[in-house]
Amino acid sequence: VGCRNFQERQPRPGQNKRNMPHALEGFRDEPNEWKTTMLKSCCNSPGYFCCACFCCPCVIYQQRNKIIGEDGKYQCCLGMFPCCQSNCPKIPCLCCEVICCPGLAASANRIFIMQKLHIQPDPCDEYIICCSNIMQCLAICARIFCDPEIADVMENIADILFCIVLSCMQTQTNYEIKNNPRAHGEWPKFQGAMR
């Protein structure tokens, strides 16, 4: 409820519309909305959420494997981020991606689904992700400027929040595939680097 108010606010005179400083800006005008928000995804699919929370790399791997297909070509983060644009062997590269960069890997899966199903970003989801990112930055600052005990607490809070947000993101993506009539319960296939 509160998140919708941010979207409905009109810019002040002389002020441009809110610009999103990341890759989701191009999805603003898409016609479809998520079937569930990240905030509600844990309640709409609690079993999947728990699995994503306690076995995050396995869930990301499973989602990406469905996107790529058994014989599909692997690209790091679906070619979305500039980390590696070349085709690599799926094993061990996908394993390394989901273990070393779970946030980027899950984000690439989510954005791929947004692209294929023409889904616009949910404002509340954006704020949840931003809050997690800010907590990570605060934890780094605490590590530099605070006592080790306080820094440890901040780091633990940031990590727990990251895990919860990541699990909600994966659950939302899976819920969309299962409940979107355009998907018919099937994961769209990756054809080449996303743009």
Side-chain angles (χ1 to χ4, degrees):
V1 176
C3 295
R4 293 284 178 204
N5 293 337
F6 288 107
Q7 183 182 27
E8 294 168 10
R9 289 185 187 168
Q10 297 297 320
R12 287 177 251 166
Q15 181 185 20
N16 292 333
K17 283 187 174 181
R18 183 181 83 129
N19 289 327
M20 196 176 350
H22 51 71
L24 297 183
E25 183 64 37
F27 294 95
R28 270 272 170 241
D29 297 325
E30 293 293 349
N32 303 314
E33 294 183 0
W34 288 101
K35 299 299 176 203
T36 186
T37 63
M38 282 176 53
L39 192 60
K40 296 178 182 175
S41 66
C42 58
C43 296
N44 288 334
S45 188
Y48 197 90
F49 172 79
C50 288
C51 185
C53 200
F54 295 110
C55 197
C56 176
C58 297
V59 172
I60 298 171
Y61 182 94
Q62 174 255 349
Q63 287 183 353
R64 182 68 61 80
N65 199 44
K66 288 181 180 179
I67 290 170
I68 295 172
E70 289 302 319
D71 299 325
K73 292 186 177 184
Y74 167 80
Q75 271 190 306
C76 184
C77 295
L78 296 172
M80 186 177 142
F81 303 111
C83 45
C84 180
Q85 295 289 327
S86 61
N87 291 329
C88 304
K90 185 162 71 171
I91 305 291
C93 294
L94 180 55
C95 296
C96 290
E97 178 186 339
V98 302
I99 291 169
C100 297
C101 307
L104 292 177
S107 293
N109 291 351
R110 182 175 185 264
I111 292 171
F112 176 77
I113 296 304
M114 290 175 71
Q115 181 185 48
K116 292 299 181 183
L117 300 179
H118 305 286
I119 300 170
Q120 59 183 265
D122 181 76
C124 198
D125 293 354
E126 294 173 44
Y127 297 120
I128 291 169
I129 294 167
C130 186
C131 178
S132 176
N133 293 341
I134 289 170
M135 257 330 276
Q136 291 292 328
C137 292
L138 290 175
I140 292 168
C141 290
R143 181 64 61 203
I144 295 168
F145 299 111
C146 297
D147 294 333
E149 296 83 22
I150 294 172
D152 288 343
V153 169
M154 289 294 290
E155 190 173 309
N156 289 338
I157 292 170
D159 289 345
I160 289 169
L161 183 60
F162 175 78
C163 289
I164 291 170
V165 170
L166 193 61
S167 300
C168 288
M169 184 185 296
Q170 294 174 89
T171 304
Q172 179 190 44
T173 304
N174 187 66
Y175 189 88
E176 187 69 28
I177 295 302
K178 301 293 181 211
N179 294 285
N180 189 313
R182 291 175 49 106
H184 305 291
E186 297 292 325
W187 288 77
K189 297 299 180 212
F190 177 66
Q191 303 298 324
M194 296 182 347
R195 300 285 172 227

